[in-house]
Amino acid sequence: MGSEPTAVLRHRTVETPAGRLHLVEQGSGPLVLLVHGFPESWYSWRHQLPALAAAGYRAVAIDVRGYGRSSKPAAADAYRLLDLVEDNVAVVRALGEESAVVAGHDWGSTIAATSALLHPEVFSAVGLLSVPYAPPGGPRPSDVFGRIGGPEQEFYVSYFQEPGRAEAEIEPDVRGWLAGFYAALSADTMPDRGEPDPHFVARGGRLRDRFPSGPLPSWLTEDDLDVYAGEFERTGLTGALNRYRSMDRDWEDLAPHRGAPITQPALFIGGTADASTTWMADAIDAYPTTLPALSGSHLLEGCGHWIQQERPHEVNSLLTGWLATLQG
């Protein structure tokens, strides 16, 4: 293994509570588990895998259950955080390891944080990209998101709740919808301030009505879009959307951990042009309490939501620098 070139990407599937879980790994050394968000796949970490491998780590990017080549349980509550956390634990075990650093982006950030919260004996440190850590608790999520929109428009999280509704919008033109969604949240293509917010759906409308229709974001090539679209054209979107449909279940499941901090070493990287960081600014401000072992909180100026793809070199530098501190 030691002489194997770090350029080799190894695809494999392992057994997890989901059934089959697909992963891609590169390099050897301490295990770093990478967890993607919506609507993506292992491929969103394509720039990090070689950089982490070159820095002396065994980098592993998974297809979260419901995505790509991983199993897609039929029940909506099979996508609750408790189950996704157990998938992560099973991956570490299946790879013959006792522990790992876990890092996630978007929903993957929440999955990574919950993994670290529930299994500190397995996940020795946690990296969070784009979506800050907010401890479990507060009001029921469906009540919160239902209030955000108001009478004229509906917040996208609420729009995603009804089974089949968002699928009916997305699946007839997966590639076009993904292109618009990626562009809507990318710094170089997102709508200007004052234009209709693409996180909301006008009553009776579609989410894509507010997506940009111009060129692809600079980080996304036609070939990259083909990879993402090809996976979702094959799998459909229900598995991915079921994550949003499990939020109230998570709220119930994690009630015993209300307000709990994550005490392992942590890293946060967000973008100043990403709504996730501006909406959740209070969560970032609370890090001294909620992430007491935080190594660094970095906001990349002018970066949108797809942070490790929009700014791969900066993210790689921050990740590898942080990982080096964990090795002592």
Side-chain angles (χ1 to χ4, degrees), residues 10-21:
R10 301 182 296 275
H11 289 256
R12 61 190 283 193
T13 55
V14 297
E15 288 299 313
T16 69
R20 178 189 70 254
L21 198 131

Side-chain angles (χ1 to χ4, degrees), residues 108-172:
S109 177
T110 305
I111 298 166
T114 311
S115 299
L117 179 66
L118 299 183
H119 287 283
E121 78 287 358
V122 178
F123 300 103
S124 58
V126 61
L128 309 173
L129 276 62
S130 298
V131 174
Y133 175 60
R140 184 180 293 274
S142 59
D143 295 340
V144 174
F145 294 122
R147 287 196 298 268
I148 290 176
E152 301 301 319
Q153 57 184 9
E154 186 177 11
F155 193 49
Y156 78 101
V157 177
S158 296
Y159 177 70
F160 285 167
Q161 292 304 308
E162 183 187 330
R165 184 181 176 199
E167 287 93 327
E169 172 186 337
I170 302 168
E171 289 178 358

Side-chain angles (χ1 to χ4, degrees), residues 24-25 42 53 58 91 103 106 111 124 132 152 158 180 182 205 226 238 241 252 261 263 265 268 282 318-319 324-325:
V24 179
E25 61 176 315
W42 76 267
R58 184 184 187 185
V91 168
D106 182 78
I111 298 166
S124 58
E152 301 301 319
S158 296
Y182 296 146
D226 286 342
T238 297
L241 289 164
E252 296 167 3
T263 57
F268 175 72
D282 289 349
L318 290 169
L319 276 176
T325 68

Side-chain angles (χ1 to χ4, degrees), residues 25-302:
E25 61 176 315
Q26 191 167 2
S28 59
L31 178 60
V32 181
L33 186 66
L34 303 170
V35 188
H36 67 80
F38 176 89
E40 301 176 89
S41 72
W42 76 267
Y43 189 75
S44 66
W45 299 103
R46 63 194 175 281
H47 303 298
Q48 284 66 52
L49 289 165
L52 293 173
Y57 298 94
R58 184 184 187 185
V60 173
I62 64 171
D63 279 339
V64 173
R65 78 161 69 182
Y67 285 85
R69 299 185 215 171
S70 293
S71 291
K72 295 154 198 64
D77 71 356
Y79 296 86
R80 59 210 282 204
L81 283 170
L82 289 187
D83 287 348
L84 299 175
V85 166
E86 292 310 313
D87 287 346
N88 283 354
V89 173
V91 168
V92 174
R93 299 281 183 257
L95 294 173
E97 301 289 349
E98 292 295 317
S99 66
V101 175
V102 62
H105 170 256
D106 182 78
W107 264 124
S109 177
T110 305
I111 298 166
T114 311
S115 299
L117 179 66
L118 299 183
H119 287 283
E121 78 287 358
V122 178
F123 300 103
S124 58
V126 61
L128 309 173
L129 276 62
S130 298
V131 174
Y133 175 60
R140 184 180 293 274
S142 59
D143 295 340
V144 174
F145 294 122
R147 287 196 298 268
I148 290 176
E152 301 301 319
Q153 57 184 9
E154 186 177 11
F155 193 49
Y156 78 101
V157 177
S158 296
Y159 177 70
F160 285 167
Q161 292 304 308
E162 183 187 330
R165 184 181 176 199
E167 287 93 327
E169 172 186 337
I170 302 168
E171 289 178 358
D173 175 24
V174 168
R175 194 178 193 280
W177 193 91
L178 289 175
F181 191 74
Y182 296 146
L185 306 186
S186 297
D188 58 341
T189 48
M190 62 177 53
D192 291 330
R193 194 182 299 270
E195 292 185 23
D197 188 333
H199 294 90
F200 292 86
V201 183
R203 296 293 173 183
R206 305 172 304 170
L207 196 62
R208 70 182 299 164
D209 294 339
R210 297 181 172 186
F211 292 169
S213 57
L216 294 180
S218 58
W219 61 267
L220 184 71
T221 67
E222 296 286 350
D223 287 345
D224 293 332
L225 182 57
D226 286 342
V227 172
Y228 286 125
E231 292 291 72
F232 288 112
E233 284 163 354
R234 184 172 54 76
T235 64
L237 269 291
T238 297
L241 289 164
N242 278 342
R243 174 81 288 278
Y244 292 92
R245 296 165 185 161
S246 302
M247 296 174 77
D248 283 353
R249 187 62 180 268
D250 298 331
W251 181 76
E252 296 167 3
D253 288 341
L254 296 173
H257 304 277
R258 181 179 295 266
I262 294 174
T263 57
Q264 298 95 308
L267 173 73
F268 175 72
I269 312 172
T272 61
D274 182 4
S276 298
T277 53
T278 52
W279 288 337
M280 297 184 71
D282 289 349
I284 297 173
D285 291 342
Y287 279 167
T289 302
T290 61
L291 294 176
L294 183 71
S295 306
S297 179
H298 307 271
L299 289 178
L300 304 189
E301 189 63 39

